[in-house]
Amino acid sequence: MARFTRIEVATTMKAEGLVPLFYHNDLELSKNVLEACYKGGARLLEFTNRGDHAHEIFAELNKFAEQELPELIMGVGSVADAGTASLYMQMGANFVVSAMLKEDVAKVCNRRKVLWSPGCGSLTEISKAEELGAEIVKIFPGSQLGPGFIKAVTAPCPWTSLMPTGGVKATKENLSGWFNAGAACVGMGSDLITKEHLANRDFEGLEEHVRNTIELVRSVRN
């Protein structure tokens, strides 16, 4: 069962402004990544459901986080159906993210009061997601839609909370563009937890990069 309520998750997402995204099939490496992100100041992490037996890795990581990183809110991404969402929630997922709008995923998450963030690419989809209970809507692919899309949506719908994912980079120019347009938070994957960090097992470098990125997010939001 989720350790954090969906209200706590949404509040943390908006307060922190950054949701790291990550997947790897090596459990020990993944534990090191979690610890580096946590030491760097991250309090959220989305483990993407991409490889075979990914749910087994997630289950062990969530247990590790509960014991060693108690403030870390673990969630799952790349969830395409209700069965997968239910599987991860049984393993303690605190939030569920999808690349697309799936009503069956909304229903199972709402039943367990777990935050659900669907990927949307139009105002119609965003409105539908909010009708289905989405507190924070993922804008995907962010690289194709851009900050202008967020600005255009939040102008007539200022109550809408949007999280662009895809195309978000750890630079002042890129982050300023998203947050100045009205993003509630951003999802960041390979530009935060880079291939170089993973290949070189450079966890100290990762910790520093996460810390610097969080400070950058704070600076552009102030």
Side-chain angles (χ1 to χ4, degrees):
M1 190 173 76
R3 292 190 296 123
F4 300 88
T5 69
R6 59 183 174 186
I7 295 173
E8 290 173 325
V9 176
T11 299
T12 303
M13 284 183 172
K14 292 177 182 179
E16 297 292 322
L18 177 66
V19 181
L21 285 67
F22 167 74
Y23 168 76
H24 203 282
N25 60 7
D26 185 316
L27 177 58
E28 293 307 313
L29 180 146
S30 297
K31 287 181 179 179
N32 285 315
V33 168
L34 258 64
E35 189 170 25
C37 289
Y38 191 77
K39 288 182 177 179
R43 290 299 178 264
L44 298 143
L45 191 133
E46 175 190 321
F47 186 79
T48 52
N49 175 51
R50 290 185 178 170
D52 291 342
H53 310 293
H55 64 285
E56 296 176 4
I57 300 293
F58 176 86
E60 293 304 315
L61 289 178
N62 204 27
K63 292 175 186 176
F64 172 71
E66 183 175 356
Q67 295 172 1
E68 305 294 335
L69 316 170
E71 295 179 18
L72 184 65
I73 302 174
M74 286 281 295
V76 60
S78 300
V79 173
D81 54 70
T84 302
S86 296
L87 174 65
Y88 276 93
M89 284 190 289
Q90 188 66 25
M91 295 175 178
N94 296 282
F95 61 93
V96 174
V97 181
S98 299
M100 70 291 287
L101 177 63
K102 299 286 289 184
E103 188 168 344
D104 61 336
V105 177
K107 289 180 177 179
V108 296
C109 289
N110 288 338
R111 189 175 296 127
R112 298 280 290 273
K113 294 189 176 181
V114 170
L115 184 136
W116 162 70
S117 183
C120 296
S122 71
L123 183 52
T124 298
E125 285 187 330
I126 292 168
S127 178
K128 180 64 175 178
E130 291 176 326
E131 289 176 2
L132 292 170
E135 179 65 29
I136 296 177
V137 177
K138 174 179 174 177
I139 297 305
F140 185 79
S143 57
Q144 301 302 308
L145 295 167
F149 176 79
I150 291 180
K151 186 175 182 179
V153 168
T154 54
C157 305
W159 56 82
T160 295
S161 296
L162 303 176
M163 176 178 65
T165 304
V168 179
K169 300 187 179 298
T171 66
K172 184 175 182 179
E173 180 182 9
N174 185 272
L175 291 170
S176 294
W178 291 115
F179 285 110
N180 289 341
C185 58
V186 297
M188 190 183 303
S190 60
D191 209 62
L192 182 67
I193 304 170
T194 70
K195 292 180 180 179
E196 290 73 23
H197 288 135
L198 301 179
N200 298 324
R201 296 326 196 241
D202 183 12
F203 304 117
E204 289 185 2
L206 174 58
E207 177 185 337
E208 182 179 4
H209 185 47
V210 170
R211 183 179 294 111
N212 292 340
T213 302
I214 289 173
E215 288 299 322
L216 189 56
V217 168
R218 289 172 180 167
S219 70
V220 301
R221 297 176 86 185
N222 291 334

